[in-house]
Amino acid sequence: MQTQFLTLSNNNINEFPEDGSSTESRQLHPPLDLAQIAIDSANVGIWVINAVTGEFMPSSRTKELFGFAPDEEMTFDAAMQQVVEKYRQNTIAAIENAYKKQTNLYVEYQVIGLHDHQSRWLSITGGFTNPDLTSSYFSGIVMDITQHKQNELKRSKFIGMVSHELKTPLTALKAYVQMLSNWAKKQKDGFATGALSKVDKQVRKMLNMINSLLNLSSAEVGQIHINKQLFSVDELIAEVVEETLFVTSSHHITITPCENIQVNADREKIEQVLVNLLSNAAKYSEKGTSIGISCKLQGEMVEISVLDQGLGIAQEAIDKVFLPHYRVESKETEKVTGFGIGLYLCSEIISRHDGKIWVESEPGEGSTFKFTLPVN
Ligand code: ADP
């Protein structure tokens, strides 16, 4: 983004000409004084980009948040240089995208202050004053959200620790239930076999949930570890379908296999993706309907699809279903339990494998979730 520098001597937004020409906004717009009090009390920084000239005007508090002195020059590019490298590209892209499309901006990122070398988490919001670019300003606020982020991180670490502690005894329980189940079958004890099969299903469901929580916590602290190994996609699909049918026998699942395609990926994590997609396909469609899972080679990638005949997803929700904690709110979905983290984890896992995940859907027409992975 081409922006030039313009100094603001303090944090007083009355100094911004309201319509791009007048310098008398203080007299003309008394409510701005109230806005100033609100801004000062929230200790937020403000910034403005003149859409006509491209001038970038950060307030002194904005400069402070980036570690600059209040009366020092700070260009847009200099501010972006303070963003921690792994967030920089996304942050610039989000700002440019909102600027070009004139949509509202919200982005969170970490900065290291220029002079104070302090690590801070900042959130930035923005929007256009009016749609006419010949007299418009793109402006918003910058807020220090470090405390909030640290609390989030603590919560994620706590969830990770608890789920790890729960996973160990549950894994042992699963093994003992399987041993008992084999023994009951040999004894031809129908009641014990039936009861143990139900215990087994519940233990597997709990293990799936705990694995999701573990992955969520890893994703939030930015540490999803990928342990790659070579495996056959067909074999994994067959295993996951068998497991899904064991836990959820309400749907008919058909497999369209691909010819012995090998991928070098984290088998357990890709299994988790397939389990999530299949269990969503079952959760969001009527009992007795069909679910299809297929895979095919697309150049250097293998494409895996999970198709259902369920509720489908409205166009405006399609881009959001992969966001953390997002759930479609409707009469039909309110009966279905969930935390809105399954698809977020799928997208994190697939992006760590340099693949893509997306959904094609129409309300009432079912959905097809697809993802790709590089072939070995
Ligand atoms: P959860 O199912 O726990 O709510 P997910 O992250 O797996 O969380 O899914 C997010 C949202 O996407 C769901 O709440 C649901 O509204 C929608 N969704 C996911 N899969 C499907 C599907 N197969 N059909 C229709 N809607 C779906």
Side-chain angles (χ1 to χ4, degrees):
M1 189 182 294
Q2 284 304 308
T3 50
Q4 296 157 23
F5 167 74
L6 184 104
T7 307
L8 290 178
S9 55
N10 58 34
N11 208 2
N12 189 339
I13 64 164
N14 292 329
E15 296 200 356
F16 290 111
E18 229 276 327
D19 59 2
S21 57
S22 167
T23 51
E24 294 174 333
S25 53
R26 177 182 286 276
Q27 287 85 352
L28 292 173
H29 300 282
L32 287 180
D33 288 333
L34 298 177
Q36 183 64 54
I37 294 169
I39 287 167
D40 287 348
S41 68
N43 204 17
V44 295
I46 50 176
W47 60 271
V48 177
I49 294 174
N50 183 326
V52 184
T53 61
E55 283 173 340
F56 174 58
M57 302 172 254
S59 71
S60 30
R61 176 66 183 147
T62 300
K63 293 182 202 170
E64 265 173 27
L65 290 171
F66 284 87
F68 285 70
D71 53 359
E72 192 179 1
E73 288 190 5
M74 184 179 81
T75 61
F76 177 81
D77 292 340
M80 288 302 109
Q81 275 311 308
Q82 302 318 123
V83 178
V84 171
E85 204 179 336
K86 69 174 168 177
Y87 302 109
R88 196 177 298 144
Q89 224 182 342
N90 279 352
T91 305
I92 296 175
I95 298 173
E96 284 186 348
N97 194 36
Y99 187 81
K100 276 184 202 144
K101 295 189 178 157
Q102 295 198 43
T103 52
N104 283 340
L105 166 72
Y106 182 83
V107 61
E108 295 180 355
Y109 52 89
Q110 192 184 12
V111 296
I112 304 292
L114 176 70
H115 300 305
D116 57 8
H117 306 296
Q118 248 198 57
S119 157
R120 293 183 191 88
W121 275 91
L122 304 179
S123 73
I124 169 170
T125 62
F128 274 86
T129 49
N130 68 57
D132 178 8
L133 280 183
T134 58
S135 64
S136 185
Y137 289 94
F138 184 42
S139 70
I141 62 171
V142 187
M143 206 156 96
D144 188 340
I145 53 163
T146 311
Q147 189 62 45
H148 166 74
K149 274 281 170 188
Q150 279 169 351
N151 291 344
E152 236 179 36
L153 211 65
K154 276 188 203 152
R155 192 209 53 182
S156 296
K157 283 186 176 162
F158 176 75
I159 291 176
M161 195 186 72
V162 171
S163 18
H164 183 76
E165 291 300 312
L166 287 172
K167 191 177 172 174
T168 316
L170 255 187
T171 311
L173 193 65
K174 183 177 163 211
Y176 281 113
V177 168
Q178 273 166 358
M179 275 160 54
L180 264 179
S181 180
N182 289 340
W183 176 82
K185 274 181 203 151
K186 270 191 202 142
Q187 302 300 310
K188 298 199 169 36
D189 184 337
F191 173 74
T193 309
L196 285 165
S197 156
K198 290 199 171 107
V199 176
D200 196 14
K201 278 184 195 175
Q202 298 307 324
V203 170
R204 283 171 202 242
K205 277 190 184 169
M206 276 170 83
L207 268 174
N208 268 337
M209 283 191 256
I210 285 171
N211 276 333
S212 290
L213 284 177
L214 259 178
N215 284 335
L216 175 70
S217 125
S218 313
E220 284 181 344
V221 296
Q223 290 172 343
I224 286 198
H225 293 297
I226 301 295
N227 296 316
K228 289 190 177 177
Q229 66 181 98
L230 261 188
F231 63 88
S232 141
V233 178
D234 268 348
E235 269 173 40
L236 180 65
I237 290 177
E239 261 174 47
V240 176
V241 167
E242 196 185 58
E243 173 86 16
T244 308
L245 285 174
F246 179 69
V247 182
T248 325
S249 47
S250 53
H251 291 73
H252 178 66
I253 305 182
T254 54
I255 306 179
T256 311
C258 41
E259 265 126 64
N260 194 26
I261 296 176
Q262 300 270 318
V263 289
N264 187 21
D266 188 320
R267 198 177 195 278
E268 217 179 282
K269 299 239 165 30
I270 301 300
E271 179 181 343
Q272 180 110 45
V273 172
L274 289 170
V275 168
N276 273 334
L277 296 183
L278 282 173
S279 76
N280 275 353
K283 262 164 60 176
Y284 298 103
S285 61
E286 290 282 328
K287 281 185 182 167
T289 55
S290 288
I291 297 171
I293 178 160
S294 60
C295 86
K296 62 177 177 195
L297 197 60
Q298 294 275 65
E300 306 272 275
M301 311 292 272
V302 54
E303 183 182 290
I304 299 165
S305 316
V306 177
L307 177 145
D308 66 54
Q309 303 173 320
L311 298 178
I313 303 170
Q315 208 54 36
E316 65 269 17
I318 274 192
D319 290 338
K320 298 185 189 146
V321 290
F322 296 99
L323 296 175
H325 305 292
Y326 179 82
R327 303 202 72 214
V328 175
E329 280 175 24
S330 70
K331 250 185 171 173
E332 289 90 1
T333 53
E334 74 182 11
K335 296 176 223 141
V336 185
T337 52
F339 301 106
I341 55 170
L343 290 180
Y344 163 65
L345 287 176
C346 292
S347 73
E348 285 289 305
I349 293 170
I350 297 303
S351 79
R352 295 294 165 104
H353 284 87
D354 301 317
K356 270 181 30 182
I357 183 163
W358 69 101
V359 55
E360 292 161 7
S361 183
E362 292 278 342
E365 301 284 318
S367 313
T368 307
F369 280 86
K370 296 185 177 180
F371 69 90
T372 56
L373 287 175
V375 171
N376 183 42

